[in-house]
Amino acid sequence: MSGNTNTLHSFFSASINRRAGLAVLLASAVAIVSLAAPSLAEDKTAVKVGIMSGEDEDVWRVVTAQAAERGLTIETVVFNDYTQPNEALERGEIDANAFQHKPYLDNQIKTQGYHIVPVGYTGVWPIGLYSKKYAKIADLPEGAVIGVPNDPSNEGRALRVLQSEHLIKLREGTGILATTTDIAENPKHLVIKELDAGIVGRSVEDLDAAVVNTDWALKSGLTPENRIAQEAVADNPYRNFIAVKAGNENQPWVKTLVASYQNEKVKAEFDRVYKGTGISAY
């Protein structure tokens, strides 16, 4: 009986040792494979980039050609609503987007919980005050109706344009996300009408004036001759950028994507398309 016990003990010990050895070999093999093979994100040669419809489509055709020369295939996904590209990026339906500035993204992260980071600047479009009824600020009458975009970041931006022209004064300490409730002084008793960013430009004829994002101004047929005021370009916090999901910002394909935008050929097309209303910001 004792001999049988020793034999069984030896058998189980050998079996356990073989299993342990096999586990070590498997772990080593996995580690070697992991080191040898890059992750899918690191090995991307084709990406989907969300952009807004309109003039930017022309710019991104040149970006796409530049990327192809660098070994990266870009498929642009065109959106017509500012709220869609970040949602698509967060869901993984696209790999990057290029349409927004930092105050807008910060607000989206705060309200939607997105995990999105900027990786490379594109351009800046100084927001302007447009009118088809009045040629200059001084002509605006008492009680003039002024349209502004109603999304948090662009409304604050619009109100700051009005403040810079001494039409209103915002409360001390008001940040870049100011709203009409932050207006402390309104000497001309202006009526501030909050409208969707895509509608405010098309509503200029029904208003005395409106603060309109440059891209929407172009889409609405507004011209520099209709612009009676504009925000400063120097130290402008509203530079647009390419954005990706957090965690991807250091991937090789991201660097290639940014380089495909930030070059002289793209700048030349940008200048042609936007005719000086937008300025390259890198």
Side-chain angles (χ1 to χ4, degrees):
M1 196 68 181
S2 173
N4 288 341
T5 299
N6 290 336
T7 301
L8 286 172
H9 177 75
S10 298
F11 172 79
F12 283 121
S13 294
S15 177
I16 289 169
N17 288 336
R18 281 196 298 273
R19 287 175 189 162
L22 183 58
V24 169
L25 286 173
L26 286 172
S28 299
V30 170
I32 290 168
V33 170
S34 297
L35 288 171
S39 69
L40 181 61
E42 291 173 328
D43 201 31
K44 276 186 184 296
T45 57
V47 295
K48 292 182 178 181
V49 181
I51 64 172
M52 298 304 294
S53 62
E55 292 76 16
D56 230 25
E57 293 179 75
D58 291 333
V59 175
W60 275 86
R61 273 189 275 274
V62 179
V63 179
T64 298
Q66 289 293 299
E69 293 180 7
R70 293 168 167 82
L72 181 67
T73 299
I74 294 176
E75 177 188 341
T76 55
V77 180
V78 180
F79 295 94
N80 295 297
D81 183 326
Y82 282 145
T83 64
Q84 296 173 343
N86 279 337
E87 181 66 22
L89 180 55
E90 184 73 16
R91 290 174 179 270
E93 296 165 2
I94 57 178
D95 302 291
N97 64 39
F99 77 104
Q100 64 193 322
H101 48 61
K102 194 66 164 52
Y104 182 82
L105 176 59
D106 287 346
N107 184 67
Q108 288 265 288
I109 290 172
K110 180 180 178 181
T111 58
Q112 305 297 327
Y114 293 145
H115 305 85
I116 297 173
V117 295
V119 292
Y121 287 114
T122 55
V124 61
W125 289 260
I127 200 168
L129 178 64
Y130 294 81
S131 178
K132 289 193 173 182
K133 296 178 181 177
Y134 304 101
K136 55 185 185 292
I137 291 287
D139 294 338
L140 290 172
E142 186 92 3
V145 180
I146 310 292
V148 298
N150 65 0
D151 59 281
S153 61
N154 283 313
E155 181 171 2
R157 188 179 183 185
L159 294 175
R160 289 186 177 279
V161 171
L162 299 182
Q163 177 173 254
S164 70
E165 297 297 330
H166 309 292
L167 292 170
I168 63 170
K169 185 175 181 181
L170 297 170
R171 287 187 297 104
E172 286 294 330
T174 300
I176 58 177
L177 300 180
T179 68
T180 53
T181 60
D182 294 308
I183 297 174
E185 297 178 20
N186 185 358
K188 277 197 168 185
H189 307 290
L190 302 177
V191 177
I192 309 297
K193 197 165 186 179
E194 299 163 302
L195 300 167
D196 181 86
I199 293 173
V200 66
R202 296 195 294 270
S203 303
V204 168
E205 292 189 3
D206 300 321
L207 304 165
D208 291 303
V211 184
V212 187
N213 291 73
T214 302
D215 53 344
W216 286 114
L218 288 170
K219 291 179 177 69
S220 303
L222 296 170
T223 68
E225 287 71 35
N226 303 132
R227 190 171 55 218
I228 59 176
Q230 179 177 291
E231 72 182 355
V233 174
D235 301 319
N236 194 304
Y238 296 99
R239 288 180 292 174
N240 281 25
F241 48 73
I242 297 167
V244 300
K245 283 287 290 290
N248 282 337
E249 57 265 42
N250 294 317
Q251 299 295 354
W253 65 266
V254 174
K255 291 178 172 55
T256 302
L257 176 61
V258 172
S260 299
Y261 193 105
Q262 295 180 351
N263 59 74
E264 288 302 314
K265 288 187 178 179
V266 172
K267 183 181 184 303
E269 180 65 6
F270 184 99
D271 292 343
R272 184 194 72 80
V273 167
Y274 285 105
K275 301 177 177 66
T277 58
I279 303 165
S280 293
Y282 47 86

